[in-house]
Amino acid sequence: MSGETSPSSKSRVGITAAACAVFVVGMVGMSFAAVPLYRMFCQVTGFGGTPLRADSAPEGSIDREVTVRFDTNIGNGLGWSFRPVERQIRLRVGEVAEVAFIVENRGRTTSTATATFNVTPEVTGAYFNKLACFCFSEQTLAPGERVEMPVQFFVDPAIAEDKDLNYIDAITLSYTFYPAREPAKPLAALAAPATGSNPL
């Protein structure tokens, strides 16, 4: 009969449907992978003002100084306070500096957050290197918990070889904590408790 579908036609339809399903799953997977891949690209290249991650400090500093300012922010829905211990420091290019940030959960429930970061001017991202940082890993704070988080960094002496950046004498390192969907390991495992009881 003309209205019947042959086995070969059914097979072709099944293969087409399966191929479409695989394509859709692949596209969904790529969309989830895009963020970490983009993040990895930025961390490797310094693109978009993303500081680089360094395994070791430079051999020495050079006769040039920069001011590094610190900016902290909290995303909507996160009941934390967050601030640098020092608002800015002055250091030599190539010198390793360590600064601290204080974060406190002012909410009534345990919450988890992730910190993102960047530097401005964005062109300095390729020369701003971090040796130790709390960023890009989920952190969990209990209600009322307050901790001090260290960051170690340096400005690569190679910046002096870029004549277009001779005007740079100040860099701003900015962090923003955003609420995370899933709880993670306690922040206290990465940082020592802050001393003193003065409110932020």
Side-chain angles (χ1 to χ4, degrees):
M1 295 176 63
S2 60
E4 294 181 354
T5 304
S6 67
S8 60
S9 297
K10 289 182 179 180
S11 177
R12 285 195 297 270
V13 170
I15 292 173
T16 302
C20 290
V22 169
F23 176 77
V24 170
V25 170
M27 292 300 293
V28 171
M30 286 294 291
S31 68
F32 279 103
V35 173
L37 288 175
Y38 177 75
R39 180 182 298 168
M40 186 183 304
F41 170 76
C42 291
Q43 291 171 356
V44 170
T45 64
F47 181 77
T50 302
L52 303 179
R53 294 184 180 182
D55 295 324
S56 60
E59 294 182 357
S61 59
I62 62 175
D63 189 22
R64 176 177 173 180
E65 291 188 343
V66 293
T67 297
V68 179
R69 304 186 180 102
F70 307 108
D71 172 59
T72 54
N73 307 278
I74 295 292
N76 292 335
L78 186 64
W80 292 11
S81 63
F82 179 40
R83 70 172 176 84
V85 172
E86 299 175 87
R87 289 295 174 184
Q88 64 180 43
I89 63 171
R90 187 81 176 168
L91 75 158
R92 294 168 67 93
V93 171
E95 174 187 356
V96 175
E98 181 171 316
V99 297
F101 294 79
I102 294 177
V103 63
E104 180 180 8
N105 181 358
R106 293 185 169 178
R108 297 182 178 180
T109 60
T110 297
S111 54
T112 301
T114 302
T116 61
F117 58 89
N118 72 302
V119 294
T120 52
E122 290 187 358
V123 290
T124 62
Y127 302 101
F128 197 98
N129 292 260
K130 291 191 295 183
L131 294 167
C133 182
F134 53 86
C135 43
F136 279 141
S137 57
E138 292 185 352
Q139 316 294 349
T140 299
L141 288 178
E145 186 175 4
R146 181 173 182 257
V147 294
E148 185 174 297
M149 303 177 298
V151 175
Q152 287 185 340
F153 64 88
F154 64 89
V155 179
D156 194 329
I159 195 173
E161 300 173 9
D162 191 335
K163 302 305 180 184
D164 292 334
L165 301 184
N166 284 342
Y167 70 94
I168 298 293
D169 63 357
I171 299 173
T172 298
L173 173 61
S174 180
Y175 287 99
T176 301
F177 263 115
Y178 292 100
R181 293 181 180 178
E182 301 292 338
K185 58 186 176 181
L187 184 58
L190 298 179
T195 59
S197 58
N198 294 330
L200 296 181

